[in-house]
Amino acid sequence: MVFAARSLALPAPRRRATAVRHLGPNWYAVVMGTAIVATAGAGLPGSAQEAGLRTVCAAVWALSSALLLALLGARALHWTHHRDQAHAHLLDPAMAPFYGCLAMALLAVGGATLVVGRDWIGAGPALAVDTVLFTAGTAVGLVVAVAVPYLMVARHRTEPGQASPVWLLAVVAPMVSAAQGPLLVPHLPAGQPRETLLLACFAMFGLSLLATLALLPAILARLITAGPPPLPQTPTLFLVLGPLGQSATAVAAAANAATGVVPAPYDRGFGVFALLYGVPVLGFALLWLGLSAALVLRARRHGMGFGMTWWAFTFPVGTCVTGAEALARRTGLVALDGLAIGLYLLLVAAWAVTALRTGRGVVSGRLLAAPR
């Protein structure tokens, strides 16, 4: 409240610039977490859609689009008026990986536009918006996937005990591109353009997967040897679910797009791989979900309060929903439909609580104040 009172005493342009001084790239998680609610809801079984869920999902997509535009403007102000703070974020090993959230926010809104936004703006404009956001998000994601690990090696100085799931944010954006790109494949000219995009998405799947597999042992070793993370950082454990659920979604999307695009028998191989990869990875994701939830409950008992890290409860869980949905469509198993619905209910509950508390924190000025 003190922050808000001081800000109101300033002229409007200066007030806006001051308000965003501590607005880091982690705020794009708000966009990601909102957009995935729309995309995941649109993929649920038909019985859920009959209850009017798709209309609600379209409204959530509109909200995520508005949030993206607002944050892009706010972050532009941040870079214009507080470049010192922006550079400090890049040199901070705890904040730099969040630059991957910009790419994922662009990709998440683009995918939601093509899936549910077309109900409101039409198929043609939705395709155009997704094409622009996919291209921009993929470019940013690839740059971040190289630049942030470079900074971690050349500039940041971290100890083994500081390994964090936040590191995954630097390399997971290409996996989101791998999941979203196959939706655009049918809209390209037949032949090499389609095959090129599909295989490029599969290459980004491999890029992100191998980078994740390189980082996960350090993260798990830190938990086992050093114990639970500090209370405010405990929700970041859910970030591990992101590359797991998104990779299962990506291979299923590639399999759906491969028919008629990749020469036989490789097109059928995509379908086999989607099942043989997706099921065990989703199983590990459920194990990690249980472990993370138990540690979060422990942290709450020890006094963990609300923070922006709570947005880790949204997008990563949403990727597990889309992964379960993709496997359900491929296998026809009712059990997987039930799993997708159960995870979606968890996602919606987490999003509602986190969004409400974020709104309160913005209004009070607490979340925009300088970190203590």
Side-chain angles (χ1 to χ4, degrees), residues 244-316:
L244 300 176
Q246 198 68 278
S247 64
T249 306
V251 293
N256 294 337
T259 303
V261 173
V262 179
Y266 302 112
D267 56 348
R268 294 191 296 275
F270 272 88
V272 173
F273 180 70
L275 190 61
L276 295 182
Y277 174 87
V279 172
V281 166
L282 188 60
F284 180 71
L286 293 176
L287 181 151
W288 192 272
L289 175 61
L291 173 63
S292 301
L295 289 171
V296 166
L297 291 175
R298 174 190 178 277
R300 284 291 284 171
R301 290 195 302 269
H302 285 74
M304 182 189 76
F306 173 75
M308 288 299 293
T309 54
W310 281 36
W311 282 99
F313 298 143
T314 57
F315 188 81

Side-chain angles (χ1 to χ4, degrees), residues 159-366:
E159 300 295 332
Q162 295 176 301
S164 167
V166 170
W167 292 2
L168 296 173
L169 293 173
V171 297
V172 75
M175 187 69 80
V176 182
S177 294
Q180 300 291 347
L183 298 177
L184 294 172
V185 168
H187 301 283
L188 291 177
Q192 291 217 4
R194 292 185 181 182
E195 186 175 359
T196 299
L197 177 58
L198 182 61
L199 293 185
C201 290
F202 204 58
M204 288 188 286
F205 159 82
L207 178 162
S208 186
L209 176 64
L210 293 177
T212 298
L213 293 177
L215 292 173
L216 269 180
I219 295 169
L220 186 58
R222 183 252 173 256
L223 287 175
I224 294 174
T225 59
L231 296 183
Q233 298 176 20
T234 304
T236 63
L237 292 172
F238 274 68
L239 294 176
V240 176
L241 297 175
L244 300 176
Q246 198 68 278
S247 64
T249 306
V251 293
N256 294 337
T259 303
V261 173
V262 179
Y266 302 112
D267 56 348
R268 294 191 296 275
F270 272 88
V272 173
F273 180 70
L275 190 61
L276 295 182
Y277 174 87
V279 172
V281 166
L282 188 60
F284 180 71
L286 293 176
L287 181 151
W288 192 272
L289 175 61
L291 173 63
S292 301
L295 289 171
V296 166
L297 291 175
R298 174 190 178 277
R300 284 291 284 171
R301 290 195 302 269
H302 285 74
M304 182 189 76
F306 173 75
M308 288 299 293
T309 54
W310 281 36
W311 282 99
F313 298 143
T314 57
F315 188 81
V317 174
T319 66
C320 293
V321 176
T322 57
E325 290 169 348
L327 287 173
R329 288 190 292 269
R330 186 154 291 277
T331 62
L333 289 177
V334 176
L336 287 172
D337 281 334
L339 175 62
I341 293 173
L343 289 173
Y344 186 71
L345 292 175
L346 176 63
L347 167 64
V348 171
W351 176 82
V353 172
T354 305
L356 177 62
R357 302 197 67 169
T358 301
R360 290 177 178 173
V362 170
V363 171
S364 69
R366 183 179 69 84

Side-chain angles (χ1 to χ4, degrees), residues 54 61 109-134 183-184 187:
R54 189 171 180 87
W61 157 78
V109 173
T113 302
L114 191 60
V115 172
V116 295
R118 64 186 182 188
D119 294 350
W120 286 12
I121 66 175
L127 176 61
V129 169
D130 186 30
T131 300
V132 171
L133 293 181
F134 173 79
L183 298 177
L184 294 172
H187 301 283

